[in-house]
Amino acid sequence: MTSEYSEYFSMLDTLAHQLEELEQLQHKKIQAVRDHDLDVLNDCMKQEQAASLALRGLEQKRESLSRKLGLEKAPLSKVPEILPPEERVLAQQKVEQLLRLWERSRSAQQAARTVVEGDLRRVNKQLEKQGIDPQVEEGYHTAPGVPPKGLRTDFRA
């Protein structure tokens, strides 16, 4: 295996590890919602943001390595077919593992989202029953649609 391919396969392993961690984080988030533990949920969301940045960095690295190996136009699922015969078996194993982990991570993320949204709806209903508008935080008022005449600018987006 050449160093270019080993670097590419190493990056795929790192990506797989990151997806496994993200999947575990989603399960932890679901448990935090079920336990009504806002501190753990907040921590999970911070970790999720960090994982998102790490995934973005890995994607940039993947694109760079793909260009270097002439794989930039191929979807990940087709990469093993393009590689030299001696690299195909390992590439196929890594790609299949990565696609499997991607699907599991996506499924866990959807489950966590469903649980969080369901719990949020229950909280909002309780607030409404108590006469509190869940859309407005205490002490804050929604901003008017148009600022007063003296506060307008001439900047145009």
Side-chain angles (χ1 to χ4, degrees):
M1 171 173 19
T2 66
S3 64
E4 290 174 331
Y5 293 117
S6 69
E7 187 178 359
Y8 185 78
F9 292 150
S10 175
M11 181 273 312
L12 291 180
D13 288 338
T14 303
L15 186 55
H17 179 71
Q18 192 70 37
L19 288 174
E20 285 175 330
E21 286 184 359
L22 194 56
E23 178 187 3
Q24 292 305 314
L25 185 59
Q26 298 309 314
H27 295 299
K28 187 176 176 183
K29 188 193 302 185
I30 290 170
Q31 193 58 48
V33 170
R34 289 182 177 151
D35 294 343
H36 304 290
D37 192 335
L38 293 178
D39 290 332
V40 171
L41 181 60
N42 190 37
D43 186 50
C44 287
M45 293 172 74
K46 288 178 184 176
Q47 290 177 37
E48 202 171 31
Q49 288 176 334
S52 176
L53 290 173
L55 285 172
R56 191 172 302 139
L58 285 170
E59 177 60 17
Q60 290 172 347
K61 184 174 182 178
R62 187 194 67 78
E63 288 174 356
S64 172
L65 288 170
S66 293
R67 273 192 303 279
K68 193 167 31 170
L69 297 172
L71 305 171
E72 69 271 8
K73 294 186 180 183
L76 184 62
S77 62
K78 300 292 182 191
V79 165
E81 299 169 12
I82 298 170
L83 294 181
E86 61 272 11
E87 305 294 344
R88 287 185 186 154
V89 173
L90 183 58
Q92 187 65 38
Q93 291 170 349
K94 294 197 179 290
V95 166
E96 286 175 1
Q97 175 194 27
L98 196 56
L99 293 175
R100 209 174 27 256
L101 286 168
W102 172 255
E103 189 55 42
R104 282 184 12 204
S105 176
R106 223 174 52 118
S107 178
Q109 189 174 24
Q110 183 58 43
R113 180 179 179 166
T114 300
V115 169
V116 169
E117 287 176 351
D119 207 51
L120 186 58
R121 280 192 296 276
R122 282 191 290 281
V123 167
N124 284 340
K125 284 180 184 177
Q126 285 297 326
L127 290 173
E128 287 172 356
K129 283 181 182 177
Q130 295 176 10
I132 300 170
D133 183 0
Q135 301 300 319
V136 179
E137 292 183 36
E138 189 175 319
Y140 293 92
H141 303 285
T142 56
V146 178
K149 192 169 187 156
L151 295 178
R152 295 184 191 165
T153 66
D154 60 354
F155 293 122
R156 293 183 183 97

